[in-house]
Amino acid sequence: MSTPEKPALEGLEDKWKSRWETDGTYRFDRSASRSQVYSIDTPPPTVSGSLHVGHVFSYTHTDIVARYQRMRGKAVFYPMGWDDNGLPTERRVQNYYGVRCDPSLLYDPSFTPPEKPDKQPIAISRPNFVELCVRLTHEDERAFEQLWRYLGMSVDWSMTYATISRDAQRVSQLAFLHELDRGQAYQLEAPTLWDIDFRTAVAQAELEDREMPGAYHRLRFAHAGGEGAVEIDTTRPELIPACVALVAHPDDPRYQPLFGQHVITPLFGVPVPVRPHPLADPEKGTGIAMICTFGDVTDVIWWRELSLPVRAVIQTNGALRPVTWGSEGWESNDAATAQRHYDSIVGLSASKARARVVELLRESGDLTGDPRPITHHVKFFEKGDRPLEIVTSRQWFIRTMDNREALLARGRELKWVPHHMVARYENWVNGLNGDWCVSRQRFFGVPFPLWYRVGADGAIDYRQPLLPDAAQLPIDPSTEVPAGYRADQRGVPGGFAGDPDVMDTWATSSLTPFIVCGWERDPDLFQRTFPMDLRPQAHDIIRTWLFSTVLRAHLEEDALPWANTAISGWVLDPDRKKMSKSKGNVVTPMGLLEEHGSDAVRYWAAKGGPGVDTAFDAGQMKVGRRLAIKLLNASKFVLAKSCDTGPVTASLDRGMLWKLGRLVEHVGRHLDGYDYASALREIEEFFWWFCDDYIELVKRRRASDDPAGVSATVASARALSVMLRLFAPFLPFVTEEVWSWSRDGSVHRGPWPTPAEVTMGLSAETEQSDSAASRVASEVTARIRQERSARKLGFSVPARLMLTTPDDDRAPWDLVASDVIAGNNITSAQVSGSGDLAVSIDPQPVDV
RNA sequence: GGGCGGUUAGCUCAGCUGGUAGAGCACCGGCUUUACACGCCGGCUGUCACAGGUUCGAGCCCUGUACCGCCCACCA
């Protein structure tokens, strides 16, 4: 335990991250009661992606809060999770091992993937596929963990979880079964937004609008009576065979006479009714629209509310399905012509079929004019490449619409940092237009823990699912067998079939508070940690992760999942664009940490306030690095002569401590409100003042062993101890290093400083005069420095001081005069008059 | 179309309940001052986006406009 000769930052990360691990510095104390615990629902990063600067930025914010709470004496429950669920992992595993998942296959315990992936992917069962996902993501997790440790994240690494772990699956399945039991989950055969490339249903939360070129095609629908025709505009003429009605606004006089009449679809000769509906916009196109099953979500609304039949043509792969014209549901006035037209588009994708239909329309004369190009917004799956279609399929839903009011109330109950982010949540909840579709037609994910009976005719009966016992969970219905059945009855008449789908990744992620707190597994842990204290996350996933977590906690526990949520901003590149890989401006986090040092990068991150998008700024990191180095050097100086107890008699010393006491108070207030940026700013400001003014003024007095020297020694040592603890949540490495020079144990478990500790032994009666003295000392020193600079008199030139002070400053000046004189290389001081502060100096020749 | 945030020095940003515009970086000048040259001291830099309004007084409050970013939206 000693101060190094030449302190440096290099190597501190490696030194302390392993020491913290050995010492269990951040181990959660699970004997703590709920009120002593601070629990954090950390976002699990997607392991198959890569970490970027944005992660470093926002995770630092959370770590600052965690460290603050820990020093406040809380048992901080801070587990790290890995999100290895979902499509990114699935794709990566397919490519990495050269496999593909076939859920109809049975588990092969002896399967090992080939050394090198073959061109022809090997089909494997879902459990085998999941095993490979787990294996691959495990490697990613280790790399992530190394980075987090290097950054100084104070998580308890013994409590790491993964979203595809058996326990996460158990929690997902159990919550689903509860919701099924309570009628909050249900299945429905219904039109659903569908990605034709991923071949899965997608939820409202996963949509994004993209601007796409399109074109209005003006089509002619003949009146069924024979006389005249009506024209409609459509961007999707290929859906004419799926047309089931036309619709116009009820008040639109142009079309009122047509309501209840029929018109004939072009090319296919199908009589369809003309119906009124208020959603039809008289301003759009010709004011009358074609309803198809299904071209867009408005079609679904019209179809439902007008009780129209289904004539679906788009299949799950996006191609037009075969249709026999003239058969039931496909009646046509001219089935032969309809068939001939349809045969030329069957099997084509929507865009190819569209081009072909336009040719057919031109030939038949049902296209008025040329298509008019437009740009319009089209719904996409956020990870998808082609527009979504709407396909009718059986899906599982969790009820959101019935809970809208309750969810809005939960949103108001939650404390949002920054507060305005609550608007995003309310916006989303108010805009919900359907229950949450949680089933996905994918392989890697949490399966629905259900089987269905197969009837004697071989048809699956979805109405009464066969449920597993809760104690059995997690289960995979594609390999496990429901009670009362044998494995050889799978898929045969009179037997059973497993639900083929997996849950939406958010269906699992929405349960992170349950997963980490040991819901329905470790009741003791659960009651010590739930509801949690903090959910930190980014604002782009308020509608997904935050919303769905609030929903699940509401359904399961009738509670908020956490009391607070801190929404972090994004890291922007200097062009004010969100930093992203695709823009080619990604800096690897590890390179950044190695170049500037973790404390320096954390400093930059901490300067970005809660919810504030922040520019990537290497300059700030350099400033942070300088701060850390300054901390090393200043500490070395203070600790070179240190003493913990003794009377603080000098007014300047006391003034410094009073100022520090107020700082401690402010910083605590800022951090309680998650305003780490303001906290850091104030600490930093004090620290530079302490170094440049206070220490410079007292360093000579401090060298002596008389009572005045002891006063400065005690005060500066106390201040250093306090500042190290204030800086500790922000700069964990350098503060720990300095702390270790003179003290046992970790600064990160040290007590958070209190104003009372700082001003211990000081009499409140002197606060005003001490503070005034400290202020006058700084002001006069600044004037002397200005004078020296203006007159090019270096510090080494001794000078005589002539000072004018306001009357009010005369007494404070007397208290600090000797420090100001000694600290500014002044030979003698002459104070005169009264008025505005004025300083002049006379250089004094040095006696030879 | 609806909503949320932002616009302050060349750059990155503070500015609490209205009371004479701030910091850091950059730039310029100076300093061997035994903690630190990875340092210290000093200096320069502003129609607080724009237009109105309230007020003795507006960067801050109100109304409107513009631009930037984001979220949401039924996209014929």
Side-chain angles (χ1 to χ4, degrees), chain A residues 233 281 284 289 298 376-377 379 543 629-630:
Chain A
D233 276 329
D281 182 355
K284 258 182 196 160
T298 319
H376 59 162
H377 292 268
K379 284 197 191 307
R543 67 171 178 170
I629 291 168
K630 189 79 173 177

mmCIF file of all heavy atoms in Angstrom, chain A residues 233 281 284 289 298 376-377 379 543 629-630, chain B residues 14 33 36 38-40 70 72-76:
data_model
loop_
_atom_site.group_PDB
_atom_site.id
_atom_site.type_symbol
_atom_site.label_atom_id
_atom_site.label_comp_id
_atom_site.label_asym_id
_atom_site.label_seq_id
_atom_site.Cartn_x
_atom_site.Cartn_y
_atom_site.Cartn_z
ATOM 1 N N ASP A 233 -59.471 3.294 -58.393
ATOM 2 C CA ASP A 233 -58.006 3.321 -58.464
ATOM 3 C C ASP A 233 -57.459 2.267 -57.520
ATOM 4 O O ASP A 233 -57.915 2.133 -56.383
ATOM 5 C CB ASP A 233 -57.475 4.695 -58.035
ATOM 6 C CG ASP A 233 -57.487 5.689 -59.189
ATOM 7 O OD1 ASP A 233 -57.329 5.238 -60.342
ATOM 8 O OD2 ASP A 233 -57.666 6.881 -58.925
ATOM 9 N N ASP A 281 -62.491 6.980 -48.145
ATOM 10 C CA ASP A 281 -62.146 8.399 -48.219
ATOM 11 C C ASP A 281 -62.521 8.948 -49.589
ATOM 12 O O ASP A 281 -61.937 8.565 -50.605
ATOM 13 C CB ASP A 281 -60.640 8.539 -47.982
ATOM 14 C CG ASP A 281 -60.192 9.988 -47.995
ATOM 15 O OD1 ASP A 281 -61.041 10.867 -48.284
ATOM 16 O OD2 ASP A 281 -59.019 10.239 -47.710
ATOM 17 N N LYS A 284 -59.688 10.162 -51.875
ATOM 18 C CA LYS A 284 -58.627 9.284 -52.390
ATOM 19 C C LYS A 284 -59.059 8.624 -53.698
ATOM 20 O O LYS A 284 -60.143 8.056 -53.774
ATOM 21 C CB LYS A 284 -58.314 8.210 -51.358
ATOM 22 C CG LYS A 284 -57.021 8.524 -50.588
ATOM 23 C CD LYS A 284 -56.702 7.435 -49.599
ATOM 24 C CE LYS A 284 -55.686 7.930 -48.602
ATOM 25 N NZ LYS A 284 -55.694 7.136 -47.383
ATOM 26 N N ALA A 289 -63.352 2.333 -53.619
ATOM 27 C CA ALA A 289 -62.190 1.442 -53.574
ATOM 28 C C ALA A 289 -62.606 -0.005 -53.709
ATOM 29 O O ALA A 289 -63.737 -0.382 -53.420
ATOM 30 C CB ALA A 289 -61.432 1.627 -52.266
ATOM 31 N N THR A 298 -56.687 -2.174 -44.045
ATOM 32 C CA THR A 298 -58.028 -1.595 -44.172
ATOM 33 C C THR A 298 -58.981 -2.611 -44.786
ATOM 34 O O THR A 298 -60.151 -2.697 -44.408
ATOM 35 C CB THR A 298 -57.991 -0.338 -45.067
ATOM 36 O OG1 THR A 298 -56.832 0.406 -44.736
ATOM 37 C CG2 THR A 298 -59.213 0.503 -44.840
ATOM 38 N N HIS A 376 -45.735 5.625 -52.044
ATOM 39 C CA HIS A 376 -46.635 5.448 -50.907
ATOM 40 C C HIS A 376 -45.931 4.625 -49.835
ATOM 41 O O HIS A 376 -44.879 4.046 -50.047
ATOM 42 C CB HIS A 376 -47.956 4.826 -51.339
ATOM 43 C CG HIS A 376 -47.827 3.486 -52.003
ATOM 44 N ND1 HIS A 376 -48.881 2.630 -52.137
ATOM 45 C CD2 HIS A 376 -46.763 2.853 -52.555
ATOM 46 C CE1 HIS A 376 -48.459 1.524 -52.748
ATOM 47 N NE2 HIS A 376 -47.196 1.636 -53.021
ATOM 48 N N HIS A 377 -46.539 4.653 -48.658
ATOM 49 C CA HIS A 377 -45.969 3.916 -47.530
ATOM 50 C C HIS A 377 -46.503 2.503 -47.522
ATOM 51 O O HIS A 377 -47.704 2.292 -47.636
ATOM 52 C CB HIS A 377 -46.315 4.616 -46.222
ATOM 53 C CG HIS A 377 -45.623 5.925 -46.087
ATOM 54 N ND1 HIS A 377 -44.412 6.052 -45.462
ATOM 55 C CD2 HIS A 377 -45.962 7.159 -46.517
ATOM 56 C CE1 HIS A 377 -44.035 7.322 -45.512
ATOM 57 N NE2 HIS A 377 -44.956 8.014 -46.147
ATOM 58 N N LYS A 379 -46.191 -1.373 -45.560
ATOM 59 C CA LYS A 379 -45.754 -2.024 -44.319
ATOM 60 C C LYS A 379 -44.760 -3.145 -44.605
ATOM 61 O O LYS A 379 -44.984 -3.983 -45.462
ATOM 62 C CB LYS A 379 -46.963 -2.591 -43.582
ATOM 63 C CG LYS A 379 -47.769 -1.530 -42.884
ATOM 64 C CD LYS A 379 -48.682 -2.163 -41.856
ATOM 65 C CE LYS A 379 -49.692 -1.156 -41.337
ATOM 66 N NZ LYS A 379 -49.087 0.077 -40.854
ATOM 67 N N ARG A 543 -42.129 0.468 -27.554
ATOM 68 C CA ARG A 543 -43.351 -0.205 -28.000
ATOM 69 C C ARG A 543 -43.236 -1.720 -27.924
ATOM 70 O O ARG A 543 -44.244 -2.404 -27.919
ATOM 71 C CB ARG A 543 -43.682 0.193 -29.435
ATOM 72 C CG ARG A 543 -42.674 -0.305 -30.461
ATOM 73 C CD ARG A 543 -43.202 -0.045 -31.869
ATOM 74 N NE ARG A 543 -42.248 -0.463 -32.884
ATOM 75 C CZ ARG A 543 -42.541 -0.522 -34.177
ATOM 76 N NH1 ARG A 543 -43.745 -0.210 -34.596
ATOM 77 N NH2 ARG A 543 -41.635 -0.901 -35.048
ATOM 78 N N ILE A 629 -6.031 11.124 -15.324
ATOM 79 C CA ILE A 629 -4.604 11.311 -15.037
ATOM 80 C C ILE A 629 -4.416 12.361 -13.943
ATOM 81 O O ILE A 629 -3.612 12.200 -13.030
ATOM 82 C CB ILE A 629 -3.856 11.713 -16.327
ATOM 83 C CG1 ILE A 629 -3.829 10.537 -17.290
ATOM 84 C CG2 ILE A 629 -2.443 12.170 -15.998
ATOM 85 C CD1 ILE A 629 -3.383 10.892 -18.691
ATOM 86 N N LYS A 630 -5.226 13.406 -14.042
ATOM 87 C CA LYS A 630 -5.147 14.463 -13.028
ATOM 88 C C LYS A 630 -5.475 13.890 -11.651
ATOM 89 O O LYS A 630 -4.853 14.245 -10.652
ATOM 90 C CB LYS A 630 -6.140 15.564 -13.388
ATOM 91 C CG LYS A 630 -6.020 16.805 -12.541
ATOM 92 C CD LYS A 630 -4.865 17.651 -12.994
ATOM 93 C CE LYS A 630 -4.837 18.984 -12.252
ATOM 94 N NZ LYS A 630 -3.666 19.785 -12.637
ATOM 95 P P A B 14 -27.138 19.446 -23.100
ATOM 96 O OP1 A B 14 -27.932 18.250 -22.804
ATOM 97 O OP2 A B 14 -27.764 20.567 -23.857
ATOM 98 O "O5'" A B 14 -26.587 19.982 -21.719
ATOM 99 C "C5'" A B 14 -26.549 21.315 -21.463
ATOM 100 C "C4'" A B 14 -25.904 21.557 -20.143
ATOM 101 O "O4'" A B 14 -24.696 22.288 -20.403
ATOM 102 C "C3'" A B 14 -26.754 22.444 -19.241
ATOM 103 O "O3'" A B 14 -27.580 21.680 -18.404
ATOM 104 C "C2'" A B 14 -25.704 23.242 -18.481
ATOM 105 O "O2'" A B 14 -25.158 22.497 -17.420
ATOM 106 C "C1'" A B 14 -24.644 23.432 -19.569
ATOM 107 N N9 A B 14 -24.904 24.619 -20.399
ATOM 108 C C8 A B 14 -25.305 24.671 -21.716
ATOM 109 N N7 A B 14 -25.433 25.897 -22.182
ATOM 110 C C5 A B 14 -25.098 26.693 -21.103
ATOM 111 C C6 A B 14 -25.033 28.088 -20.937
ATOM 112 N N6 A B 14 -25.307 28.955 -21.906
ATOM 113 N N1 A B 14 -24.664 28.562 -19.728
ATOM 114 C C2 A B 14 -24.378 27.696 -18.741
ATOM 115 N N3 A B 14 -24.398 26.365 -18.778
ATOM 116 C C4 A B 14 -24.774 25.925 -19.999
ATOM 117 P P U B 33 10.132 28.222 -12.754
ATOM 118 O OP1 U B 33 10.107 29.676 -12.769
ATOM 119 O OP2 U B 33 11.345 27.510 -12.321
ATOM 120 O "O5'" U B 33 8.887 27.679 -11.938
ATOM 121 C "C5'" U B 33 8.779 28.064 -10.594
ATOM 122 C "C4'" U B 33 7.707 27.218 -9.951
ATOM 123 O "O4'" U B 33 6.426 27.842 -10.134
ATOM 124 C "C3'" U B 33 7.619 25.803 -10.488
ATOM 125 O "O3'" U B 33 7.641 24.910 -9.402
ATOM 126 C "C2'" U B 33 6.256 25.762 -11.197
ATOM 127 O "O2'" U B 33 5.593 24.552 -11.064
ATOM 128 C "C1'" U B 33 5.481 26.847 -10.466
ATOM 129 N N1 U B 33 4.421 27.477 -11.258
ATOM 130 C C2 U B 33 3.160 27.541 -10.684
ATOM 131 O O2 U B 33 2.928 27.106 -9.574
ATOM 132 N N3 U B 33 2.219 28.129 -11.465
ATOM 133 C C4 U B 33 2.384 28.664 -12.712
ATOM 134 O O4 U B 33 1.444 29.184 -13.288
ATOM 135 C C5 U B 33 3.720 28.552 -13.237
ATOM 136 C C6 U B 33 4.668 27.970 -12.514
ATOM 137 P P C B 36 5.596 16.838 -10.624
ATOM 138 O OP1 C B 36 6.820 16.106 -10.991
ATOM 139 O OP2 C B 36 5.645 18.275 -10.295
ATOM 140 O "O5'" C B 36 4.518 16.635 -11.761
ATOM 141 C "C5'" C B 36 4.247 15.337 -12.282
ATOM 142 C "C4'" C B 36 2.969 15.369 -13.073
ATOM 143 O "O4'" C B 36 1.888 15.831 -12.225
ATOM 144 C "C3'" C B 36 2.946 16.356 -14.236
ATOM 145 O "O3'" C B 36 3.523 15.780 -15.402
ATOM 146 C "C2'" C B 36 1.452 16.611 -14.424
ATOM 147 O "O2'" C B 36 0.851 15.564 -15.164
ATOM 148 C "C1'" C B 36 0.936 16.541 -12.990
ATOM 149 N N1 C B 36 0.736 17.880 -12.390
ATOM 150 C C2 C B 36 -0.543 18.463 -12.480
ATOM 151 O O2 C B 36 -1.426 17.831 -13.056
ATOM 152 N N3 C B 36 -0.749 19.683 -11.946
ATOM 153 C C4 C B 36 0.238 20.323 -11.338
ATOM 154 N N4 C B 36 -0.020 21.521 -10.825
ATOM 155 C C5 C B 36 1.549 19.750 -11.226
ATOM 156 C C6 C B 36 1.756 18.545 -11.766
ATOM 157 P P C B 38 3.460 15.513 -22.049
ATOM 158 O OP1 C B 38 4.087 14.545 -21.210
ATOM 159 O OP2 C B 38 3.534 15.400 -23.518
ATOM 160 O "O5'" C B 38 1.927 15.635 -21.595
ATOM 161 C "C5'" C B 38 0.807 15.521 -22.536
ATOM 162 C "C4'" C B 38 -0.431 15.353 -21.709
ATOM 163 O "O4'" C B 38 -0.704 13.928 -21.580
ATOM 164 C "C3'" C B 38 -0.179 15.905 -20.303
ATOM 165 O "O3'" C B 38 -0.833 17.140 -20.002
ATOM 166 C "C2'" C B 38 -0.281 14.681 -19.345
ATOM 167 O "O2'" C B 38 -1.224 14.911 -18.323
ATOM 168 C "C1'" C B 38 -0.692 13.515 -20.251
ATOM 169 N N1 C B 38 0.238 12.374 -20.101
ATOM 170 C C2 C B 38 -0.283 11.140 -19.725
ATOM 171 O O2 C B 38 -1.485 11.044 -19.517
ATOM 172 N N3 C B 38 0.554 10.099 -19.605
ATOM 173 C C4 C B 38 1.874 10.249 -19.840
ATOM 174 N N4 C B 38 2.669 9.201 -19.711
ATOM 175 C C5 C B 38 2.416 11.498 -20.218
ATOM 176 C C6 C B 38 1.567 12.531 -20.339
ATOM 177 P P G B 39 -2.242 17.576 -19.996
ATOM 178 O OP1 G B 39 -3.131 16.413 -19.840
ATOM 179 O OP2 G B 39 -2.397 18.512 -21.084
ATOM 180 O "O5'" G B 39 -2.297 18.383 -18.629
ATOM 181 C "C5'" G B 39 -1.851 17.790 -17.427
ATOM 182 C "C4'" G B 39 -0.966 18.718 -16.634
ATOM 183 O "O4'" G B 39 0.325 18.852 -17.283
ATOM 184 C "C3'" G B 39 -1.418 20.156 -16.520
ATOM 185 O "O3'" G B 39 -2.472 20.298 -15.602
ATOM 186 C "C2'" G B 39 -0.136 20.840 -16.062
ATOM 187 O "O2'" G B 39 0.143 20.533 -14.721
ATOM 188 C "C1'" G B 39 0.884 20.115 -16.951
ATOM 189 N N9 G B 39 1.153 20.861 -18.186
ATOM 190 C C8 G B 39 0.879 20.469 -19.474
ATOM 191 N N7 G B 39 1.238 21.361 -20.357
ATOM 192 C C5 G B 39 1.771 22.408 -19.603
ATOM 193 C C6 G B 39 2.329 23.650 -20.004
ATOM 194 O O6 G B 39 2.460 24.098 -21.150
ATOM 195 N N1 G B 39 2.742 24.408 -18.922
ATOM 196 C C2 G B 39 2.646 24.019 -17.622
ATOM 197 N N2 G B 39 3.103 24.892 -16.714
ATOM 198 N N3 G B 39 2.144 22.868 -17.227
ATOM 199 C C4 G B 39 1.726 22.115 -18.260
ATOM 200 P P C B 40 -3.614 21.352 -15.833
ATOM 201 O OP1 C B 40 -4.666 21.083 -14.847
ATOM 202 O OP2 C B 40 -3.951 21.442 -17.260
ATOM 203 O "O5'" C B 40 -2.861 22.688 -15.443
ATOM 204 C "C5'" C B 40 -2.402 22.877 -14.119
ATOM 205 C "C4'" C B 40 -1.646 24.165 -14.038
ATOM 206 O "O4'" C B 40 -0.461 24.098 -14.888
ATOM 207 C "C3'" C B 40 -2.369 25.399 -14.547
ATOM 208 O "O3'" C B 40 -3.305 25.895 -13.619
ATOM 209 C "C2'" C B 40 -1.210 26.345 -14.792
ATOM 210 O "O2'" C B 40 -0.693 26.837 -13.577
ATOM 211 C "C1'" C B 40 -0.178 25.388 -15.393
ATOM 212 N N1 C B 40 -0.267 25.359 -16.873
ATOM 213 C C2 C B 40 0.298 26.424 -17.576
ATOM 214 O O2 C B 40 0.844 27.335 -16.945
ATOM 215 N N3 C B 40 0.229 26.426 -18.929
ATOM 216 C C4 C B 40 -0.371 25.429 -19.567
ATOM 217 N N4 C B 40 -0.397 25.479 -20.899
ATOM 218 C C5 C B 40 -0.962 24.329 -18.868
ATOM 219 C C6 C B 40 -0.898 24.340 -17.531
ATOM 220 P P C B 70 -34.243 10.036 -37.744
ATOM 221 O OP1 C B 70 -33.430 8.862 -38.116
ATOM 222 O OP2 C B 70 -35.080 10.704 -38.753
ATOM 223 O "O5'" C B 70 -35.197 9.633 -36.529
ATOM 224 C "C5'" C B 70 -34.668 8.989 -35.385
ATOM 225 C "C4'" C B 70 -35.652 9.059 -34.251
ATOM 226 O "O4'" C B 70 -36.045 10.436 -34.013
ATOM 227 C "C3'" C B 70 -36.984 8.363 -34.477
ATOM 228 O "O3'" C B 70 -36.886 6.959 -34.328
ATOM 229 C "C2'" C B 70 -37.834 9.015 -33.400
ATOM 230 O "O2'" C B 70 -37.506 8.525 -32.126
ATOM 231 C "C1'" C B 70 -37.364 10.467 -33.488
ATOM 232 N N1 C B 70 -38.227 11.276 -34.388
ATOM 233 C C2 C B 70 -39.470 11.698 -33.896
ATOM 234 O O2 C B 70 -39.786 11.369 -32.751
ATOM 235 N N3 C B 70 -40.275 12.435 -34.687
ATOM 236 C C4 C B 70 -39.893 12.764 -35.917
ATOM 237 N N4 C B 70 -40.730 13.493 -36.641
ATOM 238 C C5 C B 70 -38.637 12.340 -36.447
ATOM 239 C C6 C B 70 -37.840 11.607 -35.658
ATOM 240 P P C B 72 -42.768 3.391 -33.948
ATOM 241 O OP1 C B 72 -42.884 2.035 -33.399
ATOM 242 O OP2 C B 72 -42.068 3.614 -35.219
ATOM 243 O "O5'" C B 72 -44.226 4.026 -34.081
ATOM 244 C "C5'" C B 72 -45.183 3.826 -33.065
ATOM 245 C "C4'" C B 72 -46.388 4.695 -33.277
ATOM 246 O "O4'" C B 72 -45.986 6.070 -33.460
ATOM 247 C "C3'" C B 72 -47.224 4.434 -34.518
ATOM 248 O "O3'" C B 72 -48.037 3.283 -34.396
ATOM 249 C "C2'" C B 72 -48.025 5.716 -34.595
ATOM 250 O "O2'" C B 72 -49.022 5.749 -33.600
ATOM 251 C "C1'" C B 72 -46.962 6.744 -34.237
ATOM 252 N N1 C B 72 -46.328 7.290 -35.460
ATOM 253 C C2 C B 72 -47.061 8.222 -36.203
ATOM 254 O O2 C B 72 -48.188 8.531 -35.811
ATOM 255 N N3 C B 72 -46.517 8.742 -37.319
ATOM 256 C C4 C B 72 -45.298 8.374 -37.702
ATOM 257 N N4 C B 72 -44.815 8.915 -38.806
ATOM 258 C C5 C B 72 -44.534 7.414 -36.969
ATOM 259 C C6 C B 72 -45.083 6.902 -35.857
ATOM 260 P P A B 73 -48.382 2.454 -35.726
ATOM 261 O OP1 A B 73 -49.167 1.308 -35.262
ATOM 262 O OP2 A B 73 -47.155 2.251 -36.519
ATOM 263 O "O5'" A B 73 -49.322 3.446 -36.539
ATOM 264 C "C5'" A B 73 -50.575 3.843 -36.014
ATOM 265 C "C4'" A B 73 -51.280 4.742 -36.982
ATOM 266 O "O4'" A B 73 -50.560 5.998 -37.101
ATOM 267 C "C3'" A B 73 -51.359 4.240 -38.415
ATOM 268 O "O3'" A B 73 -52.392 3.305 -38.588
ATOM 269 C "C2'" A B 73 -51.619 5.540 -39.171
ATOM 270 O "O2'" A B 73 -52.947 5.967 -39.040
ATOM 271 C "C1'" A B 73 -50.698 6.500 -38.410
ATOM 272 N N9 A B 73 -49.377 6.551 -39.032
ATOM 273 C C8 A B 73 -48.261 5.805 -38.725
ATOM 274 N N7 A B 73 -47.227 6.078 -39.486
ATOM 275 C C5 A B 73 -47.686 7.040 -40.348
ATOM 276 C C6 A B 73 -47.080 7.745 -41.404
ATOM 277 N N6 A B 73 -45.814 7.554 -41.767
ATOM 278 N N1 A B 73 -47.823 8.651 -42.065
ATOM 279 C C2 A B 73 -49.099 8.834 -41.703
ATOM 280 N N3 A B 73 -49.783 8.240 -40.726
ATOM 281 C C4 A B 73 -49.012 7.353 -40.086
ATOM 282 P P C B 74 -52.227 2.099 -39.565
ATOM 283 O OP1 C B 74 -53.039 0.952 -39.132
ATOM 284 O OP2 C B 74 -50.767 1.937 -39.773
ATOM 285 O "O5'" C B 74 -52.818 2.698 -40.900
ATOM 286 C "C5'" C B 74 -52.804 1.868 -42.039
ATOM 287 C "C4'" C B 74 -54.038 2.107 -42.825
ATOM 288 O "O4'" C B 74 -55.186 1.722 -42.053
ATOM 289 C "C3'" C B 74 -54.300 3.558 -43.184
ATOM 290 O "O3'" C B 74 -53.567 3.906 -44.330
ATOM 291 C "C2'" C B 74 -55.796 3.552 -43.417
ATOM 292 O "O2'" C B 74 -56.107 3.045 -44.679
ATOM 293 C "C1'" C B 74 -56.280 2.576 -42.353
ATOM 294 N N1 C B 74 -56.757 3.187 -41.082
ATOM 295 C C2 C B 74 -57.681 4.244 -41.102
ATOM 296 O O2 C B 74 -58.056 4.676 -42.203
ATOM 297 N N3 C B 74 -58.125 4.746 -39.946
ATOM 298 C C4 C B 74 -57.700 4.258 -38.791
ATOM 299 N N4 C B 74 -58.164 4.786 -37.672
ATOM 300 C C5 C B 74 -56.769 3.186 -38.735
ATOM 301 C C6 C B 74 -56.342 2.684 -39.890
ATOM 302 P P C B 75 -53.654 5.301 -45.031
ATOM 303 O OP1 C B 75 -52.417 6.070 -44.905
ATOM 304 O OP2 C B 75 -54.926 5.898 -44.610
ATOM 305 O "O5'" C B 75 -53.825 4.803 -46.540
ATOM 306 C "C5'" C B 75 -53.013 5.432 -47.520
ATOM 307 C "C4'" C B 75 -51.965 4.505 -48.008
ATOM 308 O "O4'" C B 75 -51.375 3.786 -46.912
ATOM 309 C "C3'" C B 75 -52.397 3.363 -48.910
ATOM 310 O "O3'" C B 75 -52.745 3.841 -50.195
ATOM 311 C "C2'" C B 75 -51.151 2.506 -48.907
ATOM 312 O "O2'" C B 75 -50.210 3.024 -49.796
ATOM 313 C "C1'" C B 75 -50.651 2.709 -47.464
ATOM 314 N N1 C B 75 -50.815 1.480 -46.680
ATOM 315 C C2 C B 75 -49.792 0.540 -46.796
ATOM 316 O O2 C B 75 -48.837 0.793 -47.545
ATOM 317 N N3 C B 75 -49.865 -0.596 -46.097
ATOM 318 C C4 C B 75 -50.910 -0.822 -45.315
ATOM 319 N N4 C B 75 -50.937 -1.969 -44.641
ATOM 320 C C5 C B 75 -51.979 0.106 -45.177
ATOM 321 C C6 C B 75 -51.882 1.232 -45.877
ATOM 322 P P A B 76 -52.548 2.951 -51.468
ATOM 323 O OP1 A B 76 -51.902 1.651 -51.184
ATOM 324 O OP2 A B 76 -51.954 3.862 -52.440
ATOM 325 O "O5'" A B 76 -54.024 2.660 -51.935
ATOM 326 C "C5'" A B 76 -54.194 1.703 -52.975
ATOM 327 C "C4'" A B 76 -55.610 1.762 -53.425
ATOM 328 O "O4'" A B 76 -56.468 1.685 -52.268
ATOM 329 C "C3'" A B 76 -56.026 3.063 -54.096
ATOM 330 O "O3'" A B 76 -55.653 3.085 -55.455
ATOM 331 C "C2'" A B 76 -57.514 3.077 -53.881
ATOM 332 O "O2'" A B 76 -58.162 2.283 -54.851
ATOM 333 C "C1'" A B 76 -57.647 2.409 -52.518
ATOM 334 N N9 A B 76 -57.818 3.390 -51.439
ATOM 335 C C8 A B 76 -56.874 4.045 -50.704
ATOM 336 N N7 A B 76 -57.377 4.871 -49.810
ATOM 337 C C5 A B 76 -58.735 4.743 -49.976
ATOM 338 C C6 A B 76 -59.828 5.347 -49.330
ATOM 339 N N6 A B 76 -59.704 6.243 -48.361
ATOM 340 N N1 A B 76 -61.066 5.003 -49.732
ATOM 341 C C2 A B 76 -61.192 4.113 -50.720
ATOM 342 N N3 A B 76 -60.236 3.475 -51.401
ATOM 343 C C4 A B 76 -59.025 3.836 -50.967
#
